[in-house]
Amino acid sequence: MRQDAVSIDRFYAAPMGAAAARILSGKISDLWGDASGLSVLGLGYPVPMLEPFLTAKRCIAAMPAEQGTTRWSAPGRGVSTLLTDDHRLPFGDGLFDRVIVLHGLEETLSAKTMLREIWRIMAPEGRLVLAAANRRGLWARAESTPFGHGRPWTRRQLTKLLAELFQVTASTHAVHMPPIPWPVIFRAADAWERAGEVLSPGFGGVVLVEAVKRQYIQSRGSAAAPALGAIRAHKGAAALPINQAPKSGRGPDSAG
């Protein structure tokens, strides 16, 4: 059973959740920059990471029907949320340039099916960021937060999950402050983040992996697969700041 959207929204409205949202939105903003002229889709409960992209040509938050939704609107566009089945997205092929998944993978019934739908609705050169609770972090154990529900992931697991359909380009961890609702902690969230990136980069509460849509889906049969070269990301696009992912489909370290 999924968390309900009202509970997640209540978390991000509180000071600790607002600090986490600021860190996550900053990571995605640094990575993708200006979204003007692009179509952006968020899945799960993506609102905290969609805020930097309200200038996009199209910016939609699609939330699972079992979770429910809260009202969220982009300026000049009215209500920009909808309820959907994350295994059958109500969008045409090749529609979105950017896709963000937050609070989506942990409780989906089939992560592979969800990713195949994401691949289908992504445009050529489309770029995807998966944000999920880090199995090794403290936040995955904090049931009072949205990250303490469902299945947490490691960076290695996400990289392997993506390998069939996407080319992983970068990865990092974020939200290093402990999940304790004390003002002294969330007021110093930025200091915790800087310290965590240096002292314990693999233990942030959230693992972030960026990938680019492959031109062809890898064959499942015994016949030779078609060309699997990934479409290059736009020249000069920012990369996640630390823990660069390898060129192969495997994670870069044994820590995950």
Side-chain angles (χ1 to χ4, degrees):
M1 182 176 178
R2 283 185 180 269
Q3 303 173 81
D4 65 272
V6 174
S7 297
I8 302 175
D9 184 66
R10 189 178 298 123
F11 167 77
Y12 282 110
M16 183 171 70
R22 186 179 70 253
I23 292 167
L24 291 173
S25 64
K27 294 285 186 183
I28 197 72
S29 181
D30 290 344
L31 176 64
W32 286 349
D34 184 28
S36 298
L38 300 179
S39 293
V40 181
L41 174 68
L43 294 171
Y45 191 88
V47 172
M49 295 182 71
L50 286 179
E51 294 297 332
F53 305 113
L54 297 184
T55 60
K57 176 178 66 176
R58 180 186 293 112
C59 189
I60 298 173
M63 305 185 190
E66 318 90 88
Q67 170 189 284
T69 185
T70 56
R71 186 178 178 87
W72 177 74
S73 61
R77 293 175 174 81
V79 177
S80 302
T81 58
L82 59 88
L83 293 175
T84 185
D85 180 345
D86 54 18
H87 296 161
R88 295 184 64 184
L89 298 174
F91 306 111
D93 297 353
L95 185 61
F96 292 97
D97 305 293
R98 302 286 186 270
V99 177
I100 299 166
V101 180
L102 176 65
H103 303 307
L105 279 179
E106 293 92 336
E107 296 181 275
T108 188
L109 293 177
S110 173
K112 288 186 177 181
T113 302
M114 181 180 184
L115 281 180
R116 283 186 167 266
E117 273 294 274
I118 292 172
W119 186 94
R120 179 185 65 80
I121 58 94
M122 285 178 65
E125 299 191 44
R127 299 171 72 186
L128 164 69
V129 163
L130 298 182
N134 179 16
R135 181 178 295 277
R136 301 191 67 197
L138 294 175
W139 287 76
R141 298 166 176 79
E143 295 185 7
S144 60
T145 79
F147 299 100
H149 297 262
R151 174 190 175 181
W153 295 77
T154 66
R155 183 174 59 181
R156 185 180 297 277
Q157 289 170 339
L158 290 180
T159 300
K160 183 178 179 180
L161 177 68
L162 286 161
E164 180 183 334
L165 303 173
F166 299 88
Q167 178 67 50
V168 173
T169 54
S171 66
T172 191
H173 295 84
V175 191
H176 290 270
M177 65 179 180
I180 302 173
W182 295 350
V184 68
I185 290 177
F186 56 72
R187 287 175 183 168
D190 293 334
W192 280 99
E193 201 65 15
R194 291 190 296 270
E197 289 174 356
V198 174
L199 301 175
S200 56
F203 290 89
V206 183
V207 57
L208 299 162
V209 178
E210 186 201 37
V212 179
K213 179 179 178 178
R214 288 189 185 274
Q215 290 176 285
Y216 302 98
I217 297 177
Q218 191 170 353
S219 172
R220 292 184 174 182
S222 57
L228 294 176
I231 301 172
R232 291 176 181 265
H234 292 298
K235 183 178 180 182
L240 290 170
I242 60 172
N243 298 343
Q244 282 281 41
K247 294 181 180 179
S248 68
R250 294 189 177 183
D253 55 21
S254 60

